[in-house]
Amino acid sequence: MNFQTVLDDIAEALAPEAGREGEVARYIPALARVDARRFGIALRTREGEEAAAGDGRTPFSIQSISKLFTLTLAMRHLPEAALWERIGREPSGNPFNSLVQLESEHGKPRNPFINAGAIAVADRIVSLYGGDAKGSLAGFMSHLAGEPVDFDREVAASEASTGFRNVALANFMKSFGKLDHDVGAVLDLYFHQCALSMSCLQLARAAGYLCRDGVHPFDVGENVVTERQARRINALMLTCGTYDAAGDFAFRIGLPCKSGVGGGIVAVVPDRLTLAVWSPALDATGNSLLGMKALEMFAARTGLSVF
Ligand code: DON
């Protein structure tokens, strides 16, 4: 299959629609300024073949896609019990920043991909690296992407100055005894992970271990996670990676996906390839409208799906 042609065709078909429908995330000022007409797509196969189209090489704010990588980092270094005693593995059926479920479920987040769950994962990462947590995360991302990856400091500051709900979620979990560390230190990591700046191609590379049974995307003779862990991360992406739209994503696309309010989505075709799309205008669930359409076109055109 000529993947470059597939991506070129998708970009050509969708770029004229970019920014016509949906809304760029407005609740974070630094994200509100992004041009809604950007559209990028890129992939990397298990064997290392790459393709990119449109703005596929332009960095953007990966936002909640980072939740996939912080979970991976935590799974790499923590015993299973230490991670999953604090975090569930069920779809939430609620918006990504909802407080409601957290109260009735005594401060235990439904899954690692909603904000509360990612904050609980960030707490675990602070346990691992202390004051060096941010640097360790940036180092891990660079190691996966095969080139330097950094935070957009302006976005991180914007997250911190408007992150009232995340402050509420973290304090709420702390009140239930479900965070070990200082709320400020945990949120500093969380706000920075959301502000990681990467292109579709870098994301497709960095997530490569998910289509290679956990093996590092660049054959550096290392497993990022075990085969079993990679399978489990894919399962969580399929069931929980796109919030209260996870059912619709499975129905329309049929691939494990993780989205972010920057308009990016990473998708995995296990054993074949990883794919990333970027279009900043979002639907009401906080997922990229055109990104979802692009993935649907890709699955239809290539016949690639886990089902
Ligand atoms: O926590 C927030 O509000 C954001 N910085 C990240 C949320 C996000 O990307 C949710 N995803 N769709």
Side-chain angles (χ1 to χ4, degrees):
M1 195 169 328
N2 187 333
F3 286 121
Q4 185 60 53
T5 307
V6 175
L7 299 197
D8 284 340
D9 290 351
I10 292 173
E12 196 181 314
L14 293 184
E17 283 186 45
R20 289 225 182 117
E21 274 180 84
E23 282 273 349
V24 171
R26 302 233 169 266
Y27 69 104
I28 299 168
L31 291 185
R33 288 196 283 277
V34 177
D35 183 353
R37 289 164 305 183
R38 307 308 292 265
F39 179 86
I41 186 162
L43 64 74
R44 187 169 204 269
T45 67
R46 188 186 172 104
E47 294 75 28
E49 180 192 341
E50 295 183 342
D55 296 312
R57 290 185 164 83
T58 306
F60 61 92
S61 184
I62 74 167
Q63 292 291 315
S64 286
I65 297 173
S66 63
K67 292 169 179 164
L68 168 62
F69 297 107
T70 51
L71 175 68
T72 300
L73 188 57
M75 285 173 83
R76 229 163 114 86
H77 297 292
L78 288 166
E80 281 198 24
L83 186 64
W84 299 116
E85 75 177 349
R86 291 268 175 96
I87 307 161
R89 299 187 292 258
E90 293 294 342
S92 71
N94 275 314
F96 62 86
N97 54 7
S98 171
L99 281 149
V100 180
Q101 232 163 26
L102 206 53
E103 169 144 46
S104 57
E105 298 183 358
H106 312 289
K108 181 175 177 176
R110 270 288 171 104
N111 67 66
F113 292 154
I114 51 173
N115 285 14
I119 292 167
V121 171
D123 182 61
R124 308 278 80 194
I125 292 177
V126 173
S127 292
L128 286 168
Y129 299 105
D132 195 29
K134 281 183 289 185
S136 302
L137 177 61
F140 178 57
M141 295 309 296
S142 306
H143 177 56
L144 289 179
E147 59 192 31
V149 168
D150 207 354
F151 308 107
D152 180 327
R153 316 269 160 196
E154 191 198 345
V155 173
S158 203
E159 299 274 345
S161 62
T162 56
F164 305 111
R165 255 173 196 267
N166 290 318
V167 173
L169 288 166
N171 278 302
F172 208 56
M173 285 190 280
K174 185 81 177 169
S175 78
F176 279 108
K178 296 285 187 343
L179 291 186
D180 289 342
H181 298 282
D182 174 61
V183 165
V186 175
L187 286 177
D188 187 41
L189 174 60
Y190 176 75
F191 291 141
H192 276 81
Q193 71 177 71
C194 293
L196 280 163
S197 182
M198 294 173 75
S199 68
C200 290
L201 188 57
Q202 286 176 318
L203 281 167
R205 288 173 179 159
Y209 60 95
L210 294 172
C211 75
R212 312 179 100 221
D213 301 320
V215 176
H216 190 284
F218 288 104
D219 287 325
V220 291
E222 176 196 318
N223 261 62
V224 178
V225 285
T226 65
E227 181 184 349
R228 178 166 167 269
Q229 286 173 322
R231 213 177 314 133
R232 291 183 150 186
I233 296 169
N234 278 320
L236 285 166
M237 287 170 75
L238 185 77
T239 52
C240 311
T242 49
Y243 313 109
D244 41 337
D248 202 35
F249 263 77
F251 185 82
R252 286 173 52 187
I253 298 160
L255 295 172
C257 293
K258 182 73 206 85
S259 62
V261 295
I265 308 174
V266 166
V268 183
V269 184
D271 300 325
R272 288 296 302 274
L273 57 88
T274 38
L275 172 70
V277 285
W278 174 46
S279 168
L282 310 177
D283 67 11
T285 62
N287 294 301
S288 169
L289 250 170
L290 229 51
M292 190 169 181
K293 215 165 166 177
L295 292 174
E296 201 174 5
M297 285 172 81
F298 181 83
R301 169 93 179 252
T302 60
L304 294 171
S305 156
V306 297
F307 298 110

